[in-house]
Amino acid sequence: MNVVLASSSIEGGIGCWDLQTGAEQLRYKTCASPPHGLASIGCRFLACSQLRDPSAASGHVLYWSWSKPQAQVKSFPAEPIKPLAANSEGSYIVGGGSSGDIYFWEVATGRLLKKWHAHYRAVTCLVFSDDDSLLISGSEDGCVRVWSLFMIFDEVRKQQASHLYEYSFTEHTLRVTDIVMGYGGGNAVIVSASEDRTCKVWSLSRGRLLRNVVFPSIIDAIAIDPGEHVFYAGGRDGKIYIAALNVESSPSNNYGLHIIGSLTDQSKPVTCLAYSAERNLLLSGSEDGMIRVWDVKTKKILRMFRHSKGPVNNILIVRLPYLLSRAEPKVQASSRRNDFSLHPPLEKYANSSDEDMDNKAIITLPDTIDLPSYLSSQLINDHIKQLQQQGSSAAAEMEVKRLKLVGQRSMEMFQQLKKVYDKLQEFCVNELLDGQPIEGSKGN
Amino acid sequence: MVRSKAPSKKQQKKGIDFKKIKRKLGRKLPPPKNATNTEIKSKAIVLPEQSVATNKEGLAVSKKGLTLKELLQQSSHHNAKVRRDALMGIKDLVINHPAELRQHRYAVIEKLRERISDDDKVVREALYQLFKSEIFPGCAEDNQGLFISLLMTYIFNAMTNLAIDIRLMAFKFFDLVVQYYPPCFSLYAEKILQSYEDILRKNQFYLEDKGKLKTTLSGLVRCLSLLPSKKPESEKSISGDRIIHAFEPDTPTANTGFSTIIKKLKELVLVLINCFQDFIPLLNSMPQLDVLSFDCILSMLQSIDIAVRFFIYGIHEETPESICDQTLSSALSKKLLGVFPLYPKHHLSVKEDDRYFILNVVIAAIFLHLRELVCPSANVFEKFLEFIENALLGTICSSTRSGKATWEKHIPLLLPFIPKLASEVQTGWQSRILESFTWTFKDCNPESSLKLACLSMIEEMLIPRGYMHYTKASDTVVLDYQTVWIRELPLLLNLLGDKQPSSSQVVLCLLLRLGQFSGSNPFLFGEYENIQFALSEFYSTCQEGNLYYGPFMRLPRDCQELSICCLYYFSNLNVLLLKSLTFCCLCSELEPFVSFRIIEVLHAAYKAGHIQIVDHISFFMTLLSRFKILPESICPVRESDVKVSNHGTFKSLTAMLCSYLSQMGDSSVVFHIVEKAILGLILLQPPLENACAMLRVLIVLDSKPTLLSEQSIIALSNFLPGYLMDVVHCIPEDDVQTWRYYILPCFFMFDRSSKLLKLVLDVIGSFLTDSNLSLPSDTSTRYATDSLSRINATISLLLLIYKDVKVRKIISSFRTEIGSILQSIASLQSSEVKMTLEERHRFQSSVLEKHFPLVRMVGNQPRGRSSFVGNIEKKYRFS
């Protein structure tokens, strides 16, 4: 089940709707998020950084499990965190601080693995690349930087290099408002939007500007279509502009070079966009608290979700895990609780204990899944230990559950087969009985 | 014409058969007297144009009638004069028939290249001119690689010729080739360097013929400057309409062959150093440094400089340490750096001073490149530092105008080393160097390239590139100078004015970078904040009530954009700067786009917490109340008014500010702040447009049961009637869109507060009583001042109200008020005392026209006709 999640900068909770049917699901309570502050951690649970008083010294990050409206885990990082991002597996969370630092946590243990000074001013958005090896950050100082996680965790190379980042793009003059990345890992293009009214397209492989698109208003949100033909840019004038990436654009049009057209609904400023590749839908959140679902082909609105009075500033499209989408409240509640106890809050400071210096290195386990996964060795050790210790109780319990399920399935299967067999027999008998006269008639 | 033989033949036939005619041998009849002599005699036929054998019709020929083929044949004639003439002929032909050259270029080259090593000087010179002026420019866009390779073999051949003149000429040719086809150097680098080395080794010649040496050396400088270097980052322009994932052809990088030439280059440098050394005694013996020898020495030094730079920063595999081994470094330090500084022996002219200064600057630059490799003794180092300090301070150069120009031209060579020097030398020297650098920065002409070079150095010193942890600059010495630089920037901006936008742009870029960077450095943070005071002058200043606009207004769009972006990074925008920005926005000369951009960026800054909410709102309010509408009247009367009118701009400004205000957060809180400000402004009777804009702001922030306080409702009820009447008075009735725009805010207010409506109706009613009408000057309205127009306006207003369905519903509960208004109108009519007859007539016709429908509308209300309507109708019937 694909759900749409939306949060707002004023207290309004996180709204959740089924994208297919439009039915509203559970609303997760008490959430006031900054832009780019909402993240789903590997589709297992939700995390959202919270807006706080400017005077507050520490940040605030909340976790929700899918099944409960209340926040389950609260963490208080060392400084206000605005953007949050997680890698596709959900093993790490990255947060951007208001001082320009980037924090790198491990979800399973809550440990702060790394923290580095990334920008001169507050970080505004964070994006992981497809293969989770690159992190792209945008900042209030107009800088877009590309970080390789290999570099960040490589102490030796760090010493030698003159700078940590792979690229630093400084062409934007004002705050970077959004970054999206195309497909293709290290060869991808990235598109960044800024308050200087431009969107810029960069090449990751060549590390240079490919295209500069000037819009008639400030762009706060961008979404890229899966074919990378165009990208959509939501402006403060309430329009969603369509800008050419890989299609030829005619030089004479209303809005400017490279802008092909727009989606308009006379609405208030567009604050966030999301693209659902499955059904070719574009979702836009607006200042007036509405989420509009657009069909990009016809440029019509298919559906609207009402989130709150205040501005929507985050939209996520998440594919909920299978178990969850089938309502099995009882079983789930217990299992979820167990699950959640695994996720401790994020740590405030890096553990400066020197005992496990090598533990911070990333190791790869290539044969677990087709994608390489990166886990710290300490976590792996923990897992191994747990497996050894709990092999008796927890594992057995899981095994029993699984076997029960298998038994049930095979019973169903057996019943079905039996039915089919009965029918077949009946059919054959009838056929045999009726067969004679028909054949006889045919012979004539 | 009579033929001499014809008659005799006739006779022959006519004669009797077989009659023998006797003829006398040896005698002929004398020619008849009238015979014409048909004999033709000629000696020779001279055809000036064409011969029958070679038909040159339609072929391109030179002035002398020779085709290209013939000319090319002649170019290898044994006579030098013919050869030269042939070359001249080709030139001539090519000028007149450019297509000819394009067709036969390979044939031409193949033939002409033989002449590169021609024995005759004049021929070579003619060939050179031909190549320079015609052939190379003519074949510029062709496949030059093939073209060049045809030439190069012959050039190399000539370079090894025994005659020195031919060799020199070959270098000149090569120089020409490089000018037109730079990659050719990288193809033949090793061979070329060898040739240069060979010729420079022949040291007996250059002391004699400096002119030729000079041309050779300048060619060398040009070649060497083609060596690839890491330093300059070539900014590729983003191509306009290409699609992004399009195939991009790989341009061959011509840097491949350069690793191999290092050895050759090293030898060349050694030769150059020897050359230089040979020149030194010559200098001392000469009475003064003449131009030729100066140029020679300069070219040598420049070549060494380029070579050294290539060793250190170039793209090759070897490390600088391995290149600058013992032999090279010792030669450099002894023979070159040892003689530093050069100074005139016989002090004669200021010009000579400047020449020596230039040479010294180049030597110093070489030294600074090599500093880490050579490891100079403290003594030598000191000597150079002293020179740099003096050079920056401008004490070495002459103080004449040309001296100053030389100084500005050559000092940039030393500047790139300043940041590194300043961070590495001891404290004493550090302050001296920085002091002199600051002096240079302040002293040089703001529009010169030196200023730009200084600015880029300042950027490097203020904003460390690369690794972020470099920001340790806690040195008080450095901080002092940084303060001076930063404070100089806005002043420089004002000084530059709009004379040189490119320089202004550089300064603004630096300011922007500074702003972006300042967040992470507390010292810079404070300094950047302080810029605001000086920067406000850049926008506008207000002195003794007079407004002076700064350079901002006149700069091109991209500079304006940059300077607007700078505003975002002030963490606390002060009121002075905000004020000067407001004046800019209000100026009618500024393009609306730019002023909208200012507002947009300031709002972004407010959102980021860089502007106090009170300041921000008062900025908005000032814009709304002080914006000057041109032309004054609401409705454009003439065509010319439409053009200059800025109503549209003001409308979009209003819409923009409304949406910003509604986004500012809790609208009820914002409303209370805005309410006070607006009511204060509204009571000053602003022009209609501004009043309308402010009312619009109020209704955008207000909600259905109004948030207006008691006090402000009363204040508004005193203001609105006048406003409404003015609107109705000024706008023609048929312009529905316009009056809707102006009246709608009032309707919204009436909808939200019925109390306000009642008060307003009361006030309108009281206008119409006798005592008020007689007052000649009432301040509540600006336009509808006389009583007649006021009555007129009242009636139209009521009509408008009744036309709007929604408001009619609201107003239906205020029958008594309406009734009293109608009654007083009616009574006024009956008791007109002071009016003249004419006035009376006008009044009656206009009022009656409207009054009846109005009364009917009021009467048509669902609850039946009340008595007063009846009364009024009666009255009309009587009159």
Side-chain angles (χ1 to χ4, degrees):
Chain A
M1 181 171 79
N2 275 349
V3 295
V4 181
L5 295 162
S7 69
S8 159
S9 63
I10 60 165
E11 203 73 17
I14 302 174
C16 181
W17 296 269
D18 188 339
L19 184 56
Q20 188 99 34
T21 62
E24 175 149 16
Q25 314 278 313
L26 202 58
R27 191 168 270 243
Y28 304 96
K29 279 176 190 163
T30 57
C31 171
S33 64
H36 308 293
L38 185 67
S40 102
I41 312 298
C43 295
R44 281 176 290 143
F45 60 95
L46 265 179
C48 186
S49 60
Q50 298 295 306
L51 278 174
R52 306 205 81 188
D53 252 298
S55 56
S58 74
H60 194 185
V61 177
L62 299 178
Y63 288 173
W64 286 265
S65 75
W66 292 123
S67 54
K68 280 204 165 178
Q70 282 83 25
Q72 310 281 89
V73 180
K74 292 179 184 173
S75 349
F76 299 93
E79 63 166 322
I81 297 289
K82 275 185 177 161
L84 270 190
N87 63 342
S88 52
E89 275 190 321
S91 46
Y92 297 106
I93 289 188
V94 192
S98 58
S99 68
D101 287 356
I102 293 181
Y103 295 76
F104 196 93
W105 288 285
E106 187 170 54
V107 175
T109 58
R111 287 177 51 202
L112 180 60
L113 293 183
K114 264 281 156 356
K115 172 194 145 182
W116 70 95
H117 191 57
H119 289 280
Y120 300 130
R121 282 168 183 267
V123 182
T124 53
C125 42
L126 287 168
V127 179
F128 266 105
S129 68
D130 287 348
D131 59 354
D132 296 335
S133 67
L134 295 176
L135 179 69
I136 300 150
S137 63
S139 151
E140 251 180 35
D141 61 16
C143 199
V144 175
R145 285 190 167 156
V146 181
W147 312 90
S148 161
L149 294 184
F150 295 113
M151 182 71 169
I152 302 263
F153 283 90
D154 194 335
E155 295 293 334
V156 182
R157 266 174 69 205
K158 224 160 101 177
Q159 295 288 322
Q160 292 167 351
S162 60
H163 49 75
L164 260 178
Y165 53 79
E166 298 293 308
Y167 297 119
S168 174
F169 303 125
T170 54
E171 273 87 341
H172 280 303
T173 52
L174 289 179
R175 193 170 82 99
V176 176
T177 51
D178 201 0
I179 297 175
V180 289
M181 192 173 172
Y183 300 91
N187 273 322
V189 293
I190 46 179
V191 186
S192 61
S194 160
E195 276 181 350
D196 61 9
R197 286 193 172 185
T198 64
C199 283
K200 294 184 198 284
V201 184
W202 315 89
S203 156
L204 265 186
S205 56
R206 272 172 285 174
R208 67 181 188 88
L209 184 62
L210 292 180
R211 178 167 290 181
N212 184 23
V213 189
V214 183
F215 287 90
S217 90
I218 291 181
I219 300 301
D220 270 331
I222 33 183
I224 204 163
D225 88 323
E228 282 184 32
H229 298 299
V230 294
F231 70 89
Y232 300 90
R236 291 223 175 132
D237 56 357
K239 285 180 182 159
I240 301 172
Y241 295 98
I242 307 173
L245 271 183
N246 221 3
V247 290
E248 297 283 358
S249 59
S250 61
S252 61
N253 52 35
N254 307 335
Y255 302 115
L257 192 64
H258 298 308
I259 306 174
I260 304 169
S262 67
L263 306 171
T264 40
D265 183 36
Q266 300 286 328
S267 69
K268 293 243 182 123
V270 177
T271 50
C272 48
L273 290 173
Y275 199 94
S276 160
E278 218 158 88
R279 296 176 52 208
N280 258 351
L281 298 177
L282 182 71
L283 278 74
S284 73
S286 149
E287 193 86 24
D288 57 9
M290 303 298 283
I291 297 149
R292 293 172 174 77
V293 182
W294 302 82
D295 183 347
V296 291
K297 267 192 193 143
T298 58
K299 300 187 180 180
K300 294 261 166 57
I301 296 179
L302 294 181
R303 184 168 279 150
M304 299 233 272
F305 300 122
R306 174 157 194 89
H307 176 259
S308 66
K309 269 182 87 179
V312 178
N313 58 11
N314 283 294
I315 302 182
L316 279 184
I317 300 173
V318 180
R319 172 182 279 275
L320 278 195
Y322 174 72
L323 264 176
L324 247 172
S325 53
R326 283 188 24 198
E328 284 180 86
K330 265 189 193 169
V331 183
Q332 225 154 74
S334 61
S335 72
R336 283 295 122 180
R337 199 171 298 137
N338 287 343
D339 211 25
F340 244 74
S341 57
L342 286 177
H343 300 309
L346 304 172
E347 275 176 12
K348 212 166 195 173
Y349 303 105
N351 224 342
S352 57
S353 54
D354 12 282
E355 28 117 6
D356 46 14
M357 208 51 202
D358 63 338
N359 279 349
K360 287 188 180 169
I362 292 177
I363 60 160
T364 52
L365 297 174
D367 47 8
T368 46
I369 332 169
D370 48 348
L371 272 175
S373 81
Y374 312 100
L375 293 167
S376 74
S377 57
Q378 200 195 11
L379 182 66
I380 298 289
N381 284 338
D382 284 355
H383 276 314
I384 293 169
K385 234 181 251 170
Q386 264 179 8
L387 270 177
Q388 284 168 346
Q389 285 171 357
Q390 301 188 341
S392 48
S393 57
E397 194 180 310
M398 272 165 67
E399 189 65 18
V400 166
K401 221 182 264 176
R402 195 180 65 83
L403 286 176
K404 265 185 190 168
L405 213 75
V406 169
Q408 202 180 342
R409 282 237 182 101
S410 29
M411 275 304 282
E412 278 172 16
M413 194 81 118
F414 166 72
Q415 293 291 347
Q416 216 166 1
L417 281 175
K418 201 180 164 193
K419 245 184 227 168
V420 170
Y421 177 74
D422 283 348
K423 270 186 187 166
L424 193 69
Q425 196 192 11
E426 199 178 339
F427 174 75
C428 283
V429 168
N430 288 345
E431 197 70 347
L432 278 174
L433 290 178
D434 302 346
Q436 230 74 1
I438 294 166
E439 263 180 32
S441 64
K442 262 188 186 170
N444 290 338
Chain B
M1 193 195 228
V2 181
R3 291 192 184 211
S4 56
K5 279 189 177 174
S8 66
K9 265 189 178 173
K10 255 187 182 170
Q11 275 175 0
Q12 220 173 356
K13 280 177 185 170
K14 273 182 184 171
I16 314 140
D17 289 344
F18 310 115
K19 189 185 177 182
K20 197 172 179 183
I21 295 165
K22 203 175 173 185
R23 286 187 187 182
K24 282 177 186 168
L25 287 168
R27 287 189 64 181
K28 275 181 189 168
L29 283 170
K33 275 185 186 145
N34 63 347
T36 313
N37 185 11
T38 57
E39 231 170 288
I40 296 165
K41 280 179 191 169
S42 63
K43 278 176 186 168
I45 300 169
V46 178
L47 285 173
E49 293 285 325
Q50 291 163 332
S51 76
V52 186
T54 57
N55 183 15
K56 291 182 185 173
E57 190 87 44
L59 276 179
V61 289
S62 70
K63 264 184 202 152
K64 287 184 179 167
L66 294 171
T67 59
L68 189 63
K69 198 178 167 193
E70 287 162 340
L71 285 168
L72 286 176
Q73 272 169 0
Q74 279 185 15
S75 72
S76 50
H77 198 266
H78 58 87
N79 187 344
K81 216 167 176 187
V82 175
R83 292 200 301 261
R84 196 203 60 200
D85 286 346
L87 292 177
M88 302 298 259
I90 293 175
K91 187 173 176 183
D92 184 55
L93 185 139
V94 167
I95 290 173
N96 291 324
H97 309 275
E100 199 74 359
L101 174 65
R102 240 170 285 139
Q103 268 175 10
H104 306 291
R105 57 176 180 274
Y106 292 118
V108 170
I109 295 277
E110 268 182 19
K111 196 71 191 172
L112 288 185
R113 58 184 184 170
E114 294 162 12
R115 296 274 69 76
I116 289 173
S117 45
D118 197 292
D119 297 330
D120 192 87
K121 195 178 164 189
V122 186
V123 176
R124 288 198 306 263
E125 194 55 44
L127 183 68
Y128 180 79
Q129 290 306 330
L130 173 63
F131 269 105
K132 187 177 177 182
S133 60
E134 302 306 325
I135 296 182
F136 276 118
C139 305
E141 71 279 3
D142 289 314
N143 178 16
Q144 283 176 320
L146 180 61
F147 191 90
I148 298 300
S149 66
L150 282 175
L151 270 180
M152 281 315 287
T153 37
Y154 279 78
I155 290 181
F156 283 128
N157 206 2
M159 277 179 179
T160 53
N161 202 306
L162 279 176
I164 197 108
D165 273 353
I166 296 178
R167 287 171 73 171
L168 288 175
M169 200 65 202
F171 282 106
K172 214 170 151 188
F173 267 111
F174 177 68
D175 190 24
L176 192 67
V177 171
V178 169
Q179 277 178 42
Y180 281 97
Y181 187 63
C184 117
F185 172 64
S186 63
L187 291 173
Y188 304 100
E190 200 169 352
K191 228 169 171 178
I192 290 160
L193 291 180
Q194 180 65 50
S195 309
Y196 271 114
E197 194 190 322
D198 289 346
I199 195 137
L200 287 173
R201 267 190 210 285
K202 287 205 156 196
N203 51 1
Q204 65 275 34
F205 93 87
Y206 50 71
L207 299 174
E208 292 150 19
D209 196 348
K210 285 174 192 151
K212 278 177 184 152
L213 179 66
K214 188 191 141 192
T215 46
T216 316
L217 281 172
S218 64
L220 180 60
V221 172
R222 197 192 315 280
C223 286
L224 290 180
S225 58
L226 292 171
L227 286 170
S229 162
K230 276 178 213 157
K231 272 203 163 172
E233 288 166 22
S234 56
E235 282 285 313
K236 272 191 196 167
S237 59
I238 349 161
S239 44
D241 41 19
R242 258 188 52 249
I243 53 175
I244 279 194
H245 291 301
F247 171 72
E248 195 167 275
D250 284 331
T251 42
T253 43
N255 307 332
T256 42
F258 282 110
S259 303
T260 55
I261 63 160
I262 284 180
K263 197 160 159 273
K264 274 267 106 67
L265 200 57
K266 227 157 84 177
E267 283 165 17
L268 183 65
V269 169
L270 287 173
V271 171
L272 278 169
I273 292 172
N274 285 332
C275 229
F276 173 76
Q277 202 189 15
D278 290 343
F279 254 97
I280 297 299
L282 205 68
L283 284 185
N284 293 342
S285 65
M286 268 194 302
Q288 67 171 27
L289 183 58
D290 61 312
V291 183
L292 272 180
S293 15
F294 164 72
D295 282 342
C296 290
I297 299 177
L298 185 61
S299 301
M300 280 179 214
L301 288 176
Q302 279 173 342
S303 308
I304 298 174
D305 179 46
I306 295 168
V308 165
R309 261 189 283 164
F310 177 67
F311 291 153
I312 299 173
Y313 315 108
I315 303 164
H316 46 72
E317 282 92 50
E318 289 182 61
T319 56
E321 287 78 13
S322 68
I323 299 168
C324 289
D325 54 359
Q326 196 53 43
T327 48
L328 186 64
S329 61
S330 71
L332 274 169
S333 52
K334 250 188 226 155
K335 293 176 183 171
L336 187 65
L337 309 180
V339 297
F340 179 85
L342 301 170
Y343 52 88
K345 281 280 182 297
H346 323 274
H347 190 84
L348 282 175
S349 66
V350 275
K351 216 161 196 174
E352 204 164 329
D353 275 348
D354 292 343
R355 283 186 191 145
Y356 274 104
F357 168 72
I358 294 170
L359 296 182
N360 283 331
V361 165
V362 181
I363 298 178
I366 297 172
F367 166 76
L368 289 169
H369 283 304
L370 285 169
R371 189 163 55 92
E372 276 148 30
L373 298 174
V374 177
C375 303
S377 62
N379 221 349
V380 176
F381 194 31
E382 201 110 316
K383 205 163 69 181
F384 275 99
L385 283 177
E386 207 152 332
F387 171 76
I388 291 166
E389 187 192 5
N390 288 329
L392 287 174
L393 287 173
T395 49
I396 302 178
C397 250
S398 57
S399 52
T400 57
R401 213 146 126 244
S402 70
K404 182 101 180 164
T406 327
W407 179 73
E408 288 207 337
K409 196 176 159 209
H410 286 91
I411 279 291
L413 208 57
L414 293 179
L415 285 180
F417 305 100
I418 302 294
K420 204 152 185 239
L421 269 184
S423 65
E424 285 173 12
V425 291
Q426 299 145 350
T427 332
W429 271 111
Q430 188 185 31
S431 66
R432 279 171 75 177
I433 295 278
L434 286 177
E435 174 68 44
S436 52
F437 171 73
T438 311
W439 190 89
T440 306
F441 172 57
K442 278 186 166 172
D443 187 60
C444 64
N445 184 2
E447 285 153 46
S448 64
S449 60
L450 178 57
K451 200 74 160 187
L452 295 182
C454 285
L455 284 172
S456 74
M457 286 310 111
I458 288 174
E459 181 169 357
E460 200 166 309
M461 284 190 269
L462 284 177
I463 304 164
R465 289 205 193 97
Y467 204 48
M468 313 270 286
H469 292 213
Y470 178 70
T471 55
K472 50 155 190 188
S474 51
D475 262 329
T476 47
V477 185
V478 182
L479 287 189
D480 283 348
Y481 290 110
Q482 288 189 340
T483 317
V484 175
W485 300 334
I486 294 175
R487 289 187 184 162
E488 191 72 13
L489 293 178
L491 303 180
L492 177 61
L493 216 48
N494 292 332
L495 207 63
L496 277 170
D498 56 346
K499 280 175 284 181
Q500 204 162 351
S502 58
S503 300
S504 299
Q505 194 172 6
V506 173
V507 180
L508 285 168
C509 261
L510 177 56
L511 273 181
L512 182 68
R513 292 270 164 269
L514 210 58
Q516 291 173 336
F517 177 67
S518 68
S520 66
N521 184 331
F523 158 72
L524 283 182
F525 183 79
E527 275 307 314
Y528 190 69
E529 290 298 295
N530 288 339
I531 289 178
Q532 291 183 61
F533 295 97
L535 200 62
S536 64
E537 204 176 317
F538 173 67
Y539 295 99
S540 69
T541 40
C542 191
Q543 279 172 355
E544 296 148 13
N546 290 330
L547 255 180
Y548 300 102
Y549 291 112
F552 171 76
M553 306 288 285
R554 297 180 303 274
L555 280 172
R557 178 72 73 79
D558 47 350
C559 287
Q560 287 178 333
E561 173 71 27
L562 273 177
S563 57
I564 293 169
C565 290
C566 286
L567 299 172
Y568 179 80
Y569 294 104
F570 292 114
S571 72
N572 198 353
L573 212 66
N574 70 27
V575 181
L576 184 69
L577 184 57
L578 212 52
K579 231 182 228 169
S580 66
L581 284 169
T582 317
F583 288 130
C584 283
C585 287
L586 290 173
C587 176
S588 57
E589 284 159 38
L590 194 68
E591 280 176 76
F593 175 85
V594 178
S595 59
F596 286 170
R597 188 77 186 122
I598 293 178
I599 297 165
E600 195 175 68
V601 170
L602 285 181
H603 188 65
Y606 161 77
K607 270 189 168 172
H610 297 169
I611 303 179
Q612 303 278 318
I613 184 164
V614 181
D615 292 343
H616 195 51
I617 286 179
S618 66
F619 168 63
F620 281 178
M621 289 304 124
T622 317
L623 285 184
L624 286 182
S625 61
R626 300 274 284 276
F627 193 89
K628 259 227 176 71
I629 305 285
L630 299 167
E632 295 279 341
S633 70
I634 297 180
C635 296
V637 186
R638 284 162 296 149
E639 278 294 301
S640 59
D641 285 353
V642 181
K643 270 181 202 160
V644 295
S645 160
N646 52 7
H647 277 118
T649 312
F650 188 61
K651 269 186 192 174
S652 42
L653 177 76
T654 312
M656 188 173 174
L657 295 187
C658 283
S659 81
Y660 283 163
L661 281 168
S662 63
Q663 284 168 35
M664 272 171 86
D666 191 352
S667 54
S668 64
V669 177
V670 179
F671 180 80
H672 283 301
I673 302 173
V674 171
E675 181 191 5
K676 231 181 236 169
I678 285 189
L679 284 168
L681 288 168
I682 247 174
L683 293 181
L684 298 174
Q685 296 281 334
L688 285 184
E689 292 86 352
N690 304 58
C692 170
M694 287 189 267
L695 291 178
R696 281 185 162 255
V697 167
L698 272 187
I699 58 159
V700 162
L701 295 170
D702 202 358
S703 55
K704 173 76 195 214
T706 187
L707 295 168
L708 284 166
S709 67
E710 198 70 16
Q711 228 176 338
S712 33
I713 286 182
I714 292 168
L716 275 176
S717 71
N718 284 326
F719 168 76
L720 285 181
Y723 169 78
L724 285 170
M725 285 209 207
D726 282 347
V727 168
V728 175
H729 177 76
C730 295
I731 302 171
E733 258 169 273
D734 49 343
D735 195 354
V736 181
Q737 226 174 354
T738 313
W739 72 251
R740 269 186 79 83
Y741 182 80
Y742 285 97
I743 287 190
L744 219 55
C746 302
F747 285 1
F748 266 96
M749 282 185 173
F750 295 156
D751 181 34
R752 286 169 185 169
S753 158
S754 52
K755 190 178 171 201
L756 181 62
L757 178 56
K758 180 179 168 351
L759 286 173
V760 167
L761 288 175
D762 282 348
V763 174
I764 291 178
S766 71
F767 275 174
L768 298 172
T769 56
D770 284 338
S771 54
N772 266 348
L773 269 179
S774 54
L775 285 174
S777 61
D778 193 340
T779 48
S780 62
T781 52
R782 284 170 71 103
Y783 300 105
T785 40
D786 62 330
S787 56
L788 172 64
S789 55
R790 204 178 280 178
I791 292 171
N792 236 335
T794 313
I795 294 171
S796 323
L797 176 66
L798 288 177
L799 270 173
L800 284 179
I801 287 176
Y802 273 92
K803 268 182 201 157
D804 191 291
V805 181
K806 210 172 164 194
V807 188
R808 199 196 301 175
K809 221 178 262 171
I810 307 162
I811 213 165
S812 62
S813 53
F814 294 101
R815 299 185 143 269
T816 41
E817 281 80 4
I818 299 281
S820 69
I821 291 172
L822 292 181
Q823 221 149 13
S824 52
I825 292 174
S827 62
L828 264 176
Q829 233 189 335
S830 54
S831 63
E832 277 311 324
V833 198
K834 291 169 194 166
M835 285 188 192
T836 61
L837 201 67
E838 193 195 354
E839 264 181 344
R840 199 185 178 89
H841 179 71
R842 247 180 38 220
F843 175 85
Q844 294 231 335
S845 60
S846 65
V847 168
L848 280 178
E849 201 176 296
K850 289 176 184 167
H851 204 169
F852 264 127
L854 173 64
V855 171
R856 216 171 297 130
M857 271 169 128
V858 176
N860 281 346
Q861 290 303 299
R863 251 179 277 160
R865 314 175 128 212
S866 39
S867 57
F868 68 83
V869 177
N871 286 341
I872 291 165
E873 284 187 349
K874 259 181 230 159
K875 266 188 187 165
Y876 278 117
R877 232 166 276 143
F878 287 126
S879 59

